Amino acid sequence: GGEDAINTTIINFNNEKMQITWATREFFPNKNVSFFYIFGEGKKKVWKPCTTYLLDQDYNSGCLFKTEGPTLTISIRNSNGSDELFFKTLKADFYIKPNPPENVTFFWKEDTVTVSCNKPERNAWCLRFELQYKSKFDKEWQSRTSKCCSIGEQGFDPRKCYSFRVRLRRLVPHCNVVKYSSDWAAETFWMNGTLLDSCDDDITPQSKTVIILSCSLAVLLMMFILLILLCKWQRVQMSVLPAIPDPKYPFADLFNNHNGNLQEWLDKNDHVVLQTKLEYEEPESIIEAESQQEDGKNTGKQEPLEKIFTFSGADENNDGKAAETACLIPAPNTTTPFAGFHTIMNDDMYVML
């Protein structure tokens, strides 16, 4: 055995506890070792055995004990302590890992924030105060370092939420031989000088109201659009597939009183059929008739009116000949039957047959 024969990791936790670890699977495979230590110098010092071992797969891989002075000598031996496998003398003060900052405070003034913490009682000059921050829009931390134990930074946007964390670092090589830093203090969230539980809480009540109103307007707009589309669809559907009227309602008399007998219904409702026919006469025909009447009045001459009759001068076997038409003046109040309809004629009317 001898000094630096094996690699060890030495940590002095804030000058309160020592932790010494070694790679047991690499240097002492499948066997246990024992650990002894002495604080101070002199041959009269008594070795102290380790009382709290750290284990790696049930084998001793380190020891945790109280810090009792600046100078430390360690010894690793076989399981019964008779053979020494490794020893080393070191300065315990050069392996200090500080505790996280205590009582961290934030002071905000406009876009500037000042962060501070309690100053350690011993060797504060060996420490550096590190601040890291980022907004919820940043992917990486922004880092600033200052002397223990206060730091100021400016340029913060009051509209953004920021995450902050701080820690202490030991100076190398003036105070430490290893770059040890404390663990990060609890992360805090701030927005324009207001402490929040998280950056997800930076939505103000006004913003929530705006969001609710926007969602409501969007829902109303969607309903209005759907209503318009529904009306358009009904119009398209009516134009493509028009509804077929049920004859039962306009001709209820035909079905209720005459059991669907069309001829019987026509005989008893001649005046109704004639009135219906006249109501649905095309406007062009009415205009044409009125125009002819006006022309007759203006000229003062009575145009000869003739009845138009159609005679079939051909035999029943000869279907190719057309019928001739004749125009005759109708007698007043003449009743002319046609296809079951009885039309009353006067001298101002003519009928094409």
Side-chain angles (χ1 to χ4, degrees), residues 326-339:
C327 295
L328 299 177
I329 299 175
N333 299 326
T334 302
T335 300
T336 305
F338 173 70

Side-chain angles (χ1 to χ4, degrees), residues 80-255:
N80 56 20
S82 58
D83 295 332
E84 188 175 75
L85 306 176
F86 171 78
F87 76 91
K88 184 175 184 178
T89 301
L90 53 95
K91 292 291 184 179
D93 291 345
F94 285 177
Y95 296 88
I96 292 179
K97 179 178 181 179
N99 286 339
E102 297 178 352
N103 295 329
V104 181
T105 59
F106 292 80
F107 176 74
W108 289 78
K109 185 177 181 181
E110 296 179 354
D111 67 338
T112 302
V113 60
T114 301
V115 187
S116 58
C117 67
N118 287 353
K119 189 175 183 178
E121 296 179 358
R122 299 177 54 188
N123 299 327
W125 65 273
C126 285
L127 298 173
R128 289 294 179 267
F129 190 49
E130 183 179 4
L131 168 69
Q132 287 191 347
Y133 63 91
K134 67 176 180 178
S135 71
K136 63 179 182 179
F137 303 103
D138 299 327
K139 295 182 179 180
E140 297 182 353
W141 292 93
Q142 304 292 325
S143 185
R144 299 291 183 271
T145 304
S146 179
K147 293 182 179 180
C148 186
C149 291
S150 179
I151 187 171
E153 183 65 14
Q154 62 182 4
F156 291 96
D157 190 341
R159 298 169 297 179
K160 294 182 180 179
C161 177
Y162 292 89
S163 303
F164 291 90
R165 64 182 184 180
V166 293
R167 67 179 178 180
L168 295 173
R169 294 190 313 177
R170 288 277 291 188
L171 288 178
V172 176
H174 305 289
C175 301
N176 261 32
V177 295
V178 182
K179 294 181 179 179
Y180 282 149
S181 300
S182 71
D183 295 333
W184 290 103
E187 186 175 347
T188 56
F189 307 92
W190 294 82
M191 180 178 179
N192 197 21
T194 303
L195 180 64
L196 304 175
D197 293 334
S198 69
C199 279
D200 295 333
D201 300 335
D202 65 341
I203 302 177
T204 61
Q206 183 178 2
S207 300
K208 292 181 179 179
T209 304
V210 171
I211 292 175
I212 293 174
L213 290 177
S214 300
C215 294
S216 302
L217 290 176
V219 172
L220 292 176
L221 181 61
M222 290 294 295
M223 293 177 63
F224 181 70
I225 293 174
L226 289 176
L227 185 61
I228 292 177
L229 293 177
L230 182 60
C231 294
K232 292 287 185 181
W233 170 248
Q234 288 180 349
R235 290 184 179 180
V236 172
Q237 190 176 22
M238 290 178 63
S239 61
V240 176
L241 298 173
I244 300 175
D246 191 347
K248 179 174 62 177
Y249 298 103
F251 301 101
D253 225 9
L254 172 64
F255 294 97

Side-chain angles (χ1 to χ4, degrees), residues 260-279:
N261 191 328
L262 180 60
Q263 187 61 43
E264 180 182 340
W265 179 78
L266 289 174
D267 293 340
K268 293 187 177 182
N269 295 276
D270 286 343
H271 64 285
V272 177
V273 174
L274 177 59
Q275 181 180 358
T276 304
K277 181 178 180 181
L278 292 176
E279 287 179 355

